[in-house]
Amino acid sequence: MAGTAVYIVEGMSCGHCVGSVTEEVGAVAGVTGVEVDLESKKVTVTGEGPIDDAAVRAAIDEAGYEVAG
């Protein structure tokens, strides 16, 4: 069963930010898609199964950004 999770990511302001987050989160095991909406700061992650929340948060941190909340 596919999973989806949405994160609000602080600090993104340009296309480079989108690329960095997409690349890092996309490398998380099981993630099949990453969609970033720069205006709303939403990052939608889809996967082949349940999303590994800790791994996605770590990937966003590794990209240099912070998940709100």
Side-chain angles (χ1 to χ4, degrees):
M1 174 190 263
T4 302
V6 178
Y7 300 86
I8 303 298
V9 178
E10 298 295 335
M12 298 187 303
S13 61
C14 65
H16 181 299
C17 302
V18 171
S20 295
V21 170
T22 301
E23 181 178 348
E24 290 293 336
V25 175
V28 172
V31 170
T32 57
V34 181
E35 184 179 320
V36 180
D37 183 332
L38 193 57
E39 189 173 319
S40 68
K41 301 180 183 178
K42 286 184 182 177
V43 176
T44 303
V45 181
T46 55
E48 35 190 55
I51 302 300
D52 183 343
D53 184 65
V56 170
R57 287 175 180 269
I60 290 169
D61 184 62
E62 181 67 28
Y65 305 95
E66 185 176 332
V67 176

